[in-house]
Amino acid sequence: VQVTEVHLPSSTQELSAEPLSEGPVEVRIGSQGEILRILNRDHSAFGDGNHATTRLSLRGMEMEASRRKLGLVLDFGTGTGILALAALELGAEAVVAVDNCPVARSVASENAQLNGWSDSGQLSIQPQLLPKDVSFDTVVCNMPSKWLLNSLDDLINARSSGDGRLLLAGFPATEEEFLVSEIRARSSHLFHV
């Protein structure tokens, strides 16, 4: 098994998240500075663009999109839907956004509507993973390591075997080596971490 590790120091990223006077946060992504508007009333779901791991995930997707097409994307633990919507803005063919929290799915749906993606046919917000025979070109997951470890097999299996990418964030740097070793132990395919 070969794993290529990509480290993205937060000091190099150029993303910005700016609170508006009321309502959504504006998040600028991509080389053209596309704007996503993210609502998160009462902080009922994770991911408004202000957290370092969300910005790191966004930057990771920007880097991937600059190198290759994102293709079919899985956003596992979508929260507000910020990563799913960013993937679409960055050219993903389609995105499946999953979250086991009904409130998060509702927030993600509201944000999809706010950003004009709810009727596009390119975004599906679901409570669970797709059947095992569906594979994704890009899998993105920004969640604490405890939850990440519980879902690691599903995340690895969801990724297409050839050139699929697994973009993970949300865990402390002190746990990175352990997570990479877990991925190596559970997968027989070449892929990028």
Side-chain angles (χ1 to χ4, degrees):
V1 175
Q2 295 177 323
V3 177
T4 302
E5 299 174 41
V6 178
H7 302 275
L8 303 172
S10 60
S11 62
T12 64
Q13 40 121 337
E14 307 260 336
L15 301 167
S16 66
E18 303 167 8
L20 300 177
S21 58
E22 268 189 33
V25 170
E26 284 190 354
V27 179
R28 298 182 199 299
I29 61 164
S31 60
Q32 303 299 315
E34 294 91 348
I35 296 175
L36 289 176
R37 289 175 178 81
I38 303 298
L39 285 173
N40 194 11
R41 291 180 180 80
D42 303 321
H43 302 285
S44 53
F46 184 77
D48 64 8
N50 285 312
H51 195 273
T53 61
T54 304
R55 292 191 311 269
L56 186 64
S57 297
L58 289 166
R59 182 68 178 136
M61 282 198 305
E62 284 182 329
M63 289 177 66
E64 278 300 309
S66 73
R67 290 191 288 243
R68 66 174 189 93
K69 293 183 180 193
L70 295 177
L72 180 58
V73 175
L74 171 64
D75 176 9
F76 190 82
T78 196
T80 63
I82 187 170
L83 299 179
L85 296 170
L88 290 166
E89 292 290 340
L90 291 168
E93 293 171 21
V95 177
V96 176
V98 298
D99 204 299
N100 63 2
C101 175
V103 173
R105 290 192 307 273
S106 176
V107 171
S109 294
E110 186 175 9
N111 284 321
Q113 184 173 10
L114 179 66
N115 288 280
W117 288 103
S118 60
D119 296 326
S120 70
Q122 292 176 272
L123 176 64
S124 174
I125 300 171
Q126 302 181 5
Q128 59 195 14
L129 277 174
L130 292 175
K132 300 279 186 212
D133 61 340
V134 176
S135 61
F136 295 87
D137 302 299
T138 306
V139 176
V140 61
C141 179
N142 178 23
M143 64 175 53
S145 56
K146 176 183 174 184
W147 297 341
L148 185 58
L149 277 172
N150 289 337
S151 305
L152 196 54
D153 288 328
D154 289 333
L155 293 171
I156 290 169
N157 292 332
R159 185 197 41 78
S160 64
S161 60
D163 193 29
R165 297 296 196 269
L166 182 60
L167 305 173
L168 305 176
F171 53 89
T174 56
E175 297 177 9
E176 179 180 1
E177 187 176 320
F178 173 72
L179 284 170
V180 169
S181 69
E182 283 294 310
I183 292 168
R184 284 183 176 135
R186 298 175 189 209
S187 177
S188 61
H189 298 288
L190 168 67
F191 64 96
H192 298 269
V193 177

